[in-house]
Amino acid sequence: MTTRRGRPPKDSDTGLSRDRILREALALVDEEGLDAVSMRKLARRLGVDPMSLYNHVDGKEALLDGIAEVLLAAIPATTPGPDLRTTMSALAHGFRGAVLGHPRAAPLVLTRRLASLTALEPVEAVLGPLLAAGYPPERAVHGLRAVLAFLIGTLMREVSAAPTFSHGSRERLEELEASGLPAVAAAAPYLAVCDHETEFEFGLRILLDALAP
Amino acid sequence: MTTRRGRPPKDSDTGLSRDRILREALALVDEEGLDAVSMRKLARRLGVDPMSLYNHVDGKEALLDGIAEVLLAAIPATTPGPDLRTTMSALAHGFRGAVLGHPRAAPLVLTRRLASLTALEPVEAVLGPLLAAGYPPERAVHGLRAVLAFLIGTLMREVSAAPTFSHGSRERLEELEASGLPAVAAAAPYLAVCDHETEFEFGLRILLDALAP
DNA sequence: ACCTGAACACCGTTCAAGT
DNA sequence: ACCTGAACACCGTTCAAGT
């Protein structure tokens, strides 16, 4: 909220800026999905020539990276809790919350190799307590990566961009039962349904049991 | 290798078929990457009008789903081993091998919600031993899903479509050390490097310790 | 320093026509 | 049943021109 060098409020209406572009782009993704994003459509929404965007953003790929970074920046800062387990759990939930806040944009975070160092604070917040608890740094990093891999995989599923054997349709259940595969048939009622919340907690618990007992 | 109703060998040269299209598409992805895939370019490679593809494939999205299923079909059949742990480990390695066989196509498998029931045999191969060992089906499914989430997340990273804090560049190391974040700086040498093989084994071991002790 | 618009080389897909 | 090609409504980005 620092005043902006006396420029008139025009700035936030017609004045373009990387920030305004990224915010509008995220809104576009939220409303119409990732596939609907195009430089031209985004420019139309901003009331601007498509080429004007290139003054603030390095092309479409960079635009998508920018959106991903906006999401990452929304991970709430986490102060170390009473023990390792609760801080790690809080961070995992914070990451999940930030990503699920914009489900249609989520694949950008989960899928792109981000070059920048956004999201380094959350890493510090995990690594700090682990090191303080006496974990050797190498093992701490392995642990961090295992949890992160799990988070990325579950979130991809939650956001419905990854394979499940579900979405609870009646037919799905019948297909599974008729598959001719005995174990699949026996577990069909559970395969046909997927409660993301409990799947998330289940996997996270297992990992934290192993890492922060 | 069943003979094809006496049609001349022409079939595999100019004759189009879903199979030939998918094989050529996978080759195209392997050579030029996912972004290079277009119906028109694929048709050019097949020496055919772009519109001819639509006689065998339902559009571009369906084409990409088809490629993903080709990859999934390459998961080697796994016969149950001596114990739970080795069969589950074998399956995880089989999945990883199939995906890493076509790294540039991998995101298709890891990222798309597949409608079809390909890859149901691997599920049977995991669930069977779990149920036989007395696991309640609900818990078996949770376990399966936790492992799958981890696999998807790690593979996404291996295939370089997901965030890391590495690829072992000298500068990366220095950036991390200069980040001002003490734990990040302390663990910098390990953060700057990522051996996919050992990360994979580490995470898998933890999960299997919890699921098949 | 920023914005514009024409132009280029592409896309996926519909549709009517051919064999 | 399968293949074709013109046509439509889009793309991302370069480049020269404006202010």
Side-chain angles (χ1 to χ4, degrees), chain A residues 77-131:
Chain A
T78 307
T79 56
D83 62 7
L84 207 47
R85 199 190 171 90
T86 61
T87 52
M88 290 188 68
S89 172
L91 269 153
H93 282 89
F95 183 73
R96 178 166 182 258
V99 166
L100 293 186
H102 298 272
R104 311 184 81 170
L108 295 176
V109 183
L110 305 175
T111 255
R112 324 204 112 223
R113 156 107 50 208
L114 277 337
S116 93
L117 267 41
T118 351
L120 216 51
E121 294 94 342
V123 171
E124 175 73 15
V126 181
L127 250 30
L130 280 169
L131 297 185

Side-chain angles (χ1 to χ4, degrees), chain B residues 95-181:
Chain B
F95 184 73
R96 178 166 182 258
V99 167
L100 293 186
H102 299 273
R104 311 183 80 170
L108 295 177
V109 183
L110 305 176
T111 255
R112 323 203 113 222
R113 156 107 50 208
L114 277 336
S116 92
L117 266 40
T118 349
L120 215 50
E121 294 94 342
V123 171
E124 174 74 16
V126 182
L127 250 30
L130 280 169
L131 297 186
Y135 283 76
E138 183 168 14
R139 205 191 136 85
V141 170
H142 285 335
L144 167 63
R145 288 205 172 115
V147 175
L148 201 51
F150 167 75
L151 288 177
I152 288 170
T154 348
L155 286 171
M156 201 84 87
R157 178 169 57 214
E158 295 202 38
V159 124
S160 111
T164 337
F165 309 93
S166 65
H167 255 51
S169 66
R170 189 105 185 57
E171 311 100 38
R172 191 55 144 192
L173 177 59
E174 283 161 8
E175 272 182 325
L176 290 168
E177 278 168 346
S179 66
L181 304 171

